[in-house]
C-alpha cells in the first residue's frame, strides 16, 4: 500500500498530541517510512501527556523522582508493556493493599473489619445480584450503578462505603462512579481476566490482593520513546500547538494553523496544570514567550487529545456528527496535591493496622490468621475517604512510598510521600484541601478529566465509528485517546495503534503473536472504528 497513490510519495500524517495515544500512533505509522511521513505536534514542553515524573529530594524521601498522574495499571496492559519492553524500561509487580474509610466506616482487602461484619448479609446478597446481572448484561449495560444497586435494596452505607470506593480507583472514575453502566461493576468482580476483585468473597467482599504493576520513571520512558521515534524519521515538535483546523477536503487534505512557543528559562522538568492541558505551553512563571505562527497542510490528521479540545480545534470545520459526539463527553477539573503531611493523612485515612475495628471471626469463618498477618504487613497503597459533606463524593489518595518501587519501603511514615486527589472543582465546597499544610506540599497539578457515565457509553462510544470510519476518507481525520472508552493508559495506547491501523499501518508483529493483546485490539477496532482486524503482510 503506497502512501499517496497519485504521486507515489508517503502520506503526510499530522498527529496532534504526544501523550500515550499520539506516541503509539506515530510509532505504528513509523514502521512504514515508505508509506507515511509523520509529524507529531505537542503543546507542552514534554511528551507523555498526563503521565510524567517530578523531581523530589533524595535525601528526604530516598529517590530523585516521583511519577505523577498515571502511576501503574493492571497486569492485562499488554500493549503498554510492549512499549516499555522495547524501550528497555521495566514495570514492577505489586500486590495491592487498599484502605477505604475511617474508623467505623473503614474496611480493607487485607483483614476484616466491623464494617464488613455489619454488612455480612448484604455482601452475600451482592454476590447473588452479580450473578443475576451477568445473566442480563445487555440490559444492565444501559442501567447506571446507582439505579441497579437500589433495585436490589442495598443500604446507603453499603453502597457509599464499600461498593463505590471499590470501583472508583481502579476504573479511574472518581465521583462519576454512581453513573457508570452496571456491567462495569459486575465485570470488576466476576471476570477472571480483568476483574480486580475476582472472585467475590461472600463474607468479606474483597479479600484478594490484586496483582498490579508499577510503571517505571514516566519522563524517562517518554523521553526515550521520543528519541526512538526521531531516529525512525518522525518529526516531534514540542511547545507547538494546533490552534485551528482551517479546511478539510478530499482533494487538498487538511490545512491547519499552528502556534509555536519558545520560552526562555523554562524548567528542566514537566510542569503540568489545568491551563497546560487546555491551552498548551503556558508555564507558571512570567518568562518571555516568543511565538511563531504557521499554516501547514497534511494528507491526514489524527487528533490524539481530549474530545472537548478536539471539538474546539475543529471549530467551524467540525461536521454536525463531530460536534454531537465530541460535545457529548463530560469533564471535570481535578487537582492532585503531592505532599508529606502525615497529620492530614492520619486524620482522614487508616494508614496502619487498627486493632479497634479488626474482626477475628466473620460469620463463623476464623479470620485470626489474616488479622495476625495484617498486624505486621498492612501497608495500604490506595486510599479513599467519603467527604463529610456528601458521602457519595470521594477523595482519593496514594501512599507513593508504599506503591512506587523506587521509594524505600522501610522508611518511617514521617518520610512517606502522599498524593491526594480532590475531584471536580464544581464540588470544591466538599474538599479538605486547605487542611494540607502549605510547607508540606511538594507539587500541585490540575487535570482535565473525563467524567465516566452511562451516557458516555450510550451516546458517545457507540457513535465514534461515524467519526473514525464513515466518510473519514473525505475529511482525512481520525480520533484517538483514552476518552474513546475508559480512562486508562492501555486504552490510550490501543487507540493510537488503531488510528494508525485505519490509515493503513500494520498491527505490530510482536503484538499479533500475543493472543490476549490481539483480542483487545480487535474488540476496540470493531467498537470504535467498525473495522475487522485482518493481519496485513508488509
Amino acid at each position: 500500500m503506497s502512501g499517496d497513490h497519485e504521486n507515489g510519495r508517503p502520506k503526510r500524517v499530522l498527529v496532534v498530541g504526544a501523550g500515550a495515544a499520539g506516541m503509539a500512533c506515530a510509532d505504528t505509522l513509523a514502521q512504514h517510512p515508505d508509506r507515511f511521513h509523520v509529524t507529531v505536534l505537542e503543546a507542552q514542553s514534554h511528551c507523555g501527556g498526563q503521565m510524567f515524573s517530578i523531581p523530589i529530594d533524595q535525601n528526604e524521601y530516598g529517590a530523585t523522582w516521583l511519577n505523577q498522574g498515571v502511576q501503574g495499571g493492571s497486569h492485562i496492559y499488554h500493549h503498554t508493556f510492549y512499549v516499555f519492553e522495547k524501550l528497555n524500561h521495566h514495570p514492577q509487580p505489586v500486590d495491592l493493599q487498599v484502605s477505604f474509610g475511617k474508623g467505623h466506616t473503614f474496611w480493607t482487602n487485607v483483614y476484616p473489619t466491623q464494617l464488613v461484619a455489619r454488612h455480612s448479609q448484604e455482601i452475600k446478597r451482592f454476590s447473588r445480584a452479580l450473578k443475576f446481572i451477568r445473566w442480563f448484561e445487555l440490559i444492565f449495560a444501559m442501567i447506571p450503578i446507582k439505579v441497579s444497586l437500589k433495585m436490589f435494596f442495598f443500604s446507603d452505607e453499603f453502597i457509599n462505603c464499600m461498593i463505590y470506593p471499590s470501583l472508583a480507583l481502579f476504573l479511574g472514575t472518581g465521583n462519576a462512579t454512581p453513573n457508570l453502566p452496571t456491567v462495569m461493576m459486575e465485570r470488576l468482580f466476576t471476570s477472571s481476566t480483568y476483574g480486580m476483585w475476582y472472585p467475590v468473597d461472600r463474607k468479606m467482599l474483597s479479600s484478594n490482593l490484586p496483582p498490579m504493576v508499577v510503571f517505571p520513571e514516566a519522563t524517562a520512558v517518554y523521553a526515550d520513546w521520543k528519541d526512538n521515534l526521531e531516529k525512525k524519521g518522525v518529526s516531534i515538535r514540542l511547545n507547538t500547538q494546533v490552534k485551528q483546523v482551517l479546511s478539510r477536503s478530499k482533494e487538498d487534505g487538511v490545512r491547519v494553523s499552528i502556534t509555536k512557543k519558545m520560552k526562555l528559562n523554562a524548567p528542566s522538568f514537566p510542569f503540568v496544570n489545568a491551563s497546560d492541558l487546555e491551552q498548551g505551553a503556558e508555564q507558571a512563571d512570567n518568562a518571555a514567550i516568543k511565538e511563531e505562527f504557521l499554516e501547514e497542510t497534511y494528507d491526514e490528521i489524527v487528533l490524539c487529545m481530549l474530545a472537548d479540545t478536539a471539538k474546539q480545534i475543529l471549530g467551524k470545520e467540525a461536521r454536525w456528527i463531530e460536534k454531537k459526539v465530541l460535545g457529548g463527553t463530560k469533564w471535570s477539573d481535578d487537582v492532585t496535591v503531592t505532599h508529606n503531611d502525615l497529620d492530614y493523612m492520619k486524620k482522614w485515612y487508616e494508614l496502619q493496622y487498627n486493632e479497634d475495628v479488626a474482626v477475628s471471626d466473620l460469620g463463623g469463618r476464623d479470620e485470626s490468621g489474616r488479622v495476625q498477618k495484617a498486624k505486621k504487613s498492612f501497608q495500604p497503597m490506595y486510599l479513599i475517604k467519603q467527604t463529610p459533606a456528601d458521602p457519595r463524593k470521594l477523595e482519593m489518595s496514594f501512599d507513593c512510598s508504599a506503591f512506587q518501587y523506587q521509594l524505600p519501603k522501610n522508611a518511617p511514615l514521617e518520610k512517606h510521600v502522599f498524593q491526594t486527589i480532590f475531584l471536580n472543582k464544581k464540588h470544591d465546597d466538599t474538599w479538605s484541601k486547605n487542611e494540607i499544610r502549605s510547607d508540606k506540599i511538594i507539587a500541585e497539578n490540575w487535570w482535565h478529566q473525563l467524567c465516566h457515565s452511562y451516557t458516555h457509553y450510550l451516546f458517545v462510544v457507540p457513535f465514534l465509528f461515524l467519526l473514525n470510519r464513515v466518510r473519514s476518507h473525505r475529511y482525512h481525520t481520525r480520533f484517538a485517546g483514552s476518552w474513546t472508552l475508559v480512562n486508562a493508559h492501555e486504552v490510550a495506547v490501543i487507540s493510537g495503534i488503531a488510528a494508525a491501523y485505519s490509515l493503513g499501518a500494520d498491527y505490530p508483529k510482536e503484538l499479533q503473536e500475543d493472543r490476549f493483546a490481539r483480542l483487545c485490539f480487535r474488540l476496540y477496532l470493531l467498537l470504535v472504528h467498525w473495522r475487522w482486524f485482518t493481519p496485513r503482510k508488509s
Side-chain angles (χ1 to χ4, degrees):
M1 178 179 178
S2 62
D4 188 315
H5 291 289
E6 293 185 3
N7 58 27
R9 65 171 172 78
K11 279 184 180 178
R12 297 165 299 175
V13 181
L14 175 62
V15 177
V16 186
M23 297 293 276
C25 180
D27 198 345
T28 308
L29 293 170
Q31 298 176 113
H32 314 289
D34 58 322
R35 303 182 196 174
F36 308 102
H37 181 273
V38 185
T39 300
V40 179
L41 302 185
E42 170 55 52
Q44 298 185 96
S45 60
H46 68 285
C47 298
Q50 294 190 10
M51 180 176 170
F52 65 99
S53 309
I54 61 171
I56 58 175
D57 187 338
Q58 184 174 17
N59 293 330
E60 186 72 15
Y61 305 114
T64 59
W65 58 272
L66 182 80
N67 278 344
Q68 285 276 67
V70 183
Q71 300 183 35
S74 169
H75 63 284
I76 66 171
Y77 283 17
H78 289 208
H79 294 81
T80 299
F81 299 154
Y82 158 74
V83 172
F84 290 161
E85 186 65 29
K86 74 176 187 174
L87 296 173
N88 199 30
H89 288 276
H90 307 289
Q92 301 296 318
V94 65
D95 292 331
L96 192 65
Q97 297 187 23
V98 300
S99 173
F100 297 149
K102 176 76 174 176
H104 75 283
T105 62
F106 162 67
W107 70 283
T108 173
N109 61 329
V110 181
Y111 65 97
T113 66
Q114 293 174 0
L115 178 72
V116 174
R118 194 158 65 242
H119 293 283
S120 59
Q121 293 303 313
E122 287 190 280
I123 292 172
K124 291 179 182 178
R125 286 200 294 113
F126 181 71
S127 66
R128 293 195 294 267
L130 289 174
K131 292 180 180 179
F132 183 84
I133 293 169
R134 192 169 182 83
W135 292 337
F136 300 97
E137 276 189 339
L138 290 178
I139 297 174
F140 282 97
M142 297 179 287
I143 300 176
I145 294 173
K146 63 184 179 183
V147 173
S148 61
L149 289 175
K150 283 300 181 181
M151 287 171 55
F152 291 100
F153 302 103
F154 292 112
S155 67
D156 287 341
E157 185 178 67
F158 178 69
I159 294 171
N160 295 334
C161 297
M162 298 198 71
I163 301 302
Y164 288 159
S166 69
L167 308 178
L169 274 178
F170 300 115
L171 296 175
T173 50
N175 287 341
T177 301
N179 295 318
L180 290 175
T182 301
V183 68
M184 296 181 71
M185 174 188 71
E186 175 257 312
R187 286 303 181 97
L188 200 66
F189 284 93
T190 64
S191 172
S192 58
T193 304
Y194 51 82
M196 297 304 299
W197 297 123
Y198 174 85
V200 179
D201 187 323
R202 290 172 58 87
K203 292 184 179 292
M204 192 171 154
L205 185 62
S206 303
S207 62
N208 64 310
L209 302 181
M212 299 283 285
V213 290
V214 184
F215 287 173
E217 184 180 357
T219 297
V221 169
Y222 275 91
D224 288 348
W225 204 356
K226 176 178 179 289
D227 292 343
N228 181 274
L229 290 179
E230 289 177 331
K231 289 177 182 177
K232 295 178 180 178
V234 176
S235 173
I236 301 179
R237 292 148 59 183
L238 304 178
N239 294 316
T240 306
Q241 184 177 10
V242 175
K243 296 294 290 185
Q244 200 75 53
V245 173
L246 300 175
S247 65
R248 295 183 291 174
S249 68
K250 184 176 181 181
E251 296 77 17
D252 300 325
V254 182
R255 188 164 59 95
V256 296
S257 66
I258 295 170
T259 302
K260 181 177 181 180
K261 296 186 178 182
M262 293 178 289
K263 183 168 184 173
L264 301 175
N265 302 320
S268 59
F269 62 92
F271 182 92
V272 180
N273 56 32
S275 60
D276 282 328
L277 296 175
E278 297 181 353
Q279 303 297 331
E282 295 287 329
Q283 299 287 341
D285 58 290
N286 296 317
I289 297 176
K290 179 182 178 181
E291 293 187 334
E292 182 180 359
F293 300 93
L294 306 167
E295 286 189 13
E296 297 177 356
T297 302
Y298 295 87
D299 299 311
E300 303 284 346
I301 186 171
V302 185
L303 298 175
C304 301
M305 57 178 59
L306 304 180
D308 53 350
T309 308
K311 180 185 176 185
Q312 179 183 346
I313 286 175
L314 288 172
K316 295 180 180 179
E317 280 295 306
R319 294 183 287 156
W320 72 269
I321 189 62
E322 289 171 331
K323 293 178 181 178
K324 191 72 174 177
V325 174
L326 298 175
T329 55
K330 299 178 181 180
W331 304 86
S332 70
D333 292 315
D334 309 336
V335 61
T336 298
V337 180
T338 304
H339 63 94
N340 71 325
D341 191 338
L342 182 58
D343 290 337
Y344 177 86
M345 296 300 295
K346 283 185 173 181
K347 175 181 178 180
W348 293 109
Y349 300 97
E350 298 284 357
L351 299 177
Q352 298 170 296
Y353 170 76
N354 187 344
E355 187 172 5
D356 293 338
V357 297
V359 174
S360 296
D361 181 90
L362 202 59
R365 189 173 75 183
D366 183 13
E367 297 288 345
S368 57
R370 196 188 301 272
V371 169
Q372 290 301 316
K373 185 177 179 180
K375 290 180 180 180
K376 300 178 181 179
S377 63
F378 182 59
Q379 192 174 27
M381 304 158 188
Y382 281 26
L383 309 98
I384 281 187
K385 80 166 190 184
Q386 291 79 40
T387 63
D390 183 349
R392 289 200 173 188
K393 299 291 189 300
L394 303 176
E395 174 186 303
M396 304 189 294
S397 287
F398 302 89
D399 184 341
C400 298
S401 296
F403 186 59
Q404 295 191 29
Y405 65 86
Q406 80 280 9
L407 297 167
K409 297 297 173 285
N410 57 351
L413 278 174
E414 294 77 14
K415 297 290 185 179
H416 279 214
V417 182
F418 305 100
Q419 287 182 343
T420 300
I421 306 175
F422 299 93
L423 300 165
N424 202 336
K425 195 174 187 302
K426 294 179 181 179
H427 304 138
D428 61 2
D429 58 313
T430 68
W431 293 359
S432 53
K433 179 173 175 286
N434 60 353
E435 294 183 19
I436 300 177
R437 284 175 47 183
S438 59
D439 62 319
K440 296 288 186 178
I441 294 176
I442 300 169
E444 187 172 309
N445 304 94
W446 284 88
W447 310 93
H448 193 55
Q449 299 279 26
L450 176 71
C451 287
H452 296 78
S453 170
Y454 71 98
T455 59
H456 184 71
Y457 300 98
L458 284 179
F459 306 122
V460 176
V461 175
F463 300 100
L464 284 170
F465 79 95
L466 295 173
L467 278 57
N468 283 318
R469 173 71 171 177
V470 177
R471 304 184 77 184
S472 58
H473 63 284
R474 177 176 178 180
Y475 293 93
H476 307 284
T477 306
R478 305 293 192 282
F479 299 86
S482 62
W483 67 269
T484 57
L485 200 58
V486 63
N487 265 344
H489 190 272
E490 176 74 356
V491 172
V493 174
I494 292 174
S495 73
I497 296 174
Y501 180 88
S502 73
L503 289 170
D506 296 342
Y507 186 58
K509 181 180 178 182
E510 296 87 346
L511 291 170
Q512 287 191 39
E513 297 170 355
D514 182 331
R515 183 177 179 182
F516 182 78
R518 192 172 67 246
L519 174 62
C520 292
F521 180 76
R522 189 189 299 272
L523 291 173
Y524 179 90
L525 191 69
L526 186 62
L527 180 63
V528 177
H529 290 263
W530 269 32
R531 293 179 183 270
W532 184 253
F533 171 64
T534 303
R536 300 184 179 121
K537 295 182 179 180
S538 301

